[in-house]
Amino acid sequence: MTTPVVSVAPETCVSDVARLLLERHISGVPVIDSAGRLVGMVSEGDFLRRAEDGSHRHGSWWLRLFSGSGANAAEYVKTHGRSAADVMTRDVVTVTEDTQAGDIAHLLETKRIKRVPVVRSGKVVGIVSRADLLRGFAAQRHAPAVPASVEDETIRKQILEEIQAADWAPTYGVSVVVVDGIVQVWGVVDSPEQGEALRVAATNAPGVKGVELNVSSIPAYAWGV
């Protein structure tokens, strides 16, 4: 999973949510209330339904007749609302930290979603996307098909804790995969120095045999897109 998780509040303005998705190069973001509870997800798909560009289609009158006033009213809120709470998907599919990668892949496929929040005791602690799964499978391409060892998981948690506590950590987060003591770090960084700091943090963890850094930098001009 990727951690820490970028999130928004229910009252966050729709335009601010859209800007966040563009700046962080992500396609969806969890909506978390003041108590830390997951209440919804806003994705790029939700913005495709927006009417602000004047392209919203009202559909045929007979379809609206059979869908009922309640459904029509809910659709209006989604296409005209101004906050994350208005446009978000409320029925969010989640997994736990113990959910197997194969089960997550099956979930993403059957539910036709691109990402799923990872929840611990009702709080979001990470998010797994299709890209995260591909990274994990790539990292284990030469490893036997067995669950990660206790040692590998301990190393992974130590590295993530070190990164999360750092004031230089990437604004979006990174994915860390450990197989037989070999660490793979994936993510997006703002500078080469940030990538080097990730390498050092991973190298310093007890039990690490090697580090493979798989990060890309965001060009300065990309922030103005």
Side-chain angles (χ1 to χ4, degrees):
M1 68 183 181
T2 294
T3 183
V5 180
V6 176
S7 64
V8 297
E11 63 271 16
T12 303
C13 179
V14 166
S15 60
D16 290 337
V17 177
R19 186 178 300 108
L20 182 66
L21 297 183
L22 290 173
E23 290 179 348
R24 301 300 176 87
H25 296 263
I26 54 180
S27 59
V29 62
V31 182
I32 299 177
D33 66 14
S34 58
R37 297 171 300 185
L38 176 67
V39 294
M41 285 282 295
V42 177
S43 70
E44 57 189 5
D46 293 313
F47 285 97
L48 295 178
R49 306 170 69 179
R50 298 293 293 170
E52 293 175 346
D53 62 357
S55 62
H56 178 61
R57 297 181 179 179
H58 295 288
S60 60
W61 65 269
W62 61 273
L63 281 179
R64 296 200 303 274
L65 178 64
F66 282 104
S67 61
S69 60
N72 292 334
E75 180 69 13
Y76 181 86
V77 171
K78 267 195 169 288
T79 56
H80 293 76
R82 297 294 175 179
S83 69
D86 292 330
V87 303
M88 69 183 185
T89 298
R90 297 177 182 273
D91 186 15
V92 182
V93 177
T94 64
V95 297
T96 67
E97 295 167 285
D98 297 327
T99 306
Q100 294 295 311
D103 293 334
I104 296 177
H106 179 72
L107 190 63
L108 297 183
E109 179 67 21
T110 56
K111 297 294 184 179
R112 297 186 178 182
I113 53 179
K114 295 182 178 180
R115 73 209 64 77
V116 60
V118 183
V119 177
R120 180 201 307 153
S121 300
K123 303 295 178 66
V124 178
V125 296
I127 193 163
V128 177
S129 67
R130 294 181 179 182
D132 291 323
L133 288 178
L134 288 175
R135 292 166 184 166
F137 293 146
Q140 300 185 51
R141 61 188 181 279
H142 300 307
V146 297
S149 68
V150 174
E151 292 79 7
D152 285 343
E153 185 59 25
T154 298
I155 292 172
R156 177 179 176 276
K157 289 182 177 179
Q158 290 175 337
I159 294 173
L160 287 174
E161 289 174 358
E162 178 71 17
I163 294 173
Q164 291 172 15
D167 56 4
W168 49 260
T171 53
Y172 173 44
V174 297
S175 296
V176 176
V177 179
V178 184
V179 179
D180 292 334
I182 304 299
V183 180
Q184 287 201 9
V185 182
W186 302 78
V188 178
V189 297
D190 301 321
S191 65
E193 292 78 13
Q194 202 174 51
E196 184 64 11
L198 289 173
R199 183 190 65 77
V200 171
T203 301
N204 288 343
V208 171
K209 301 175 182 178
V211 176
E212 299 178 14
L213 197 60
N214 301 282
V215 298
S216 56
S217 299
I218 301 178
Y221 62 79
W223 297 102
V225 176

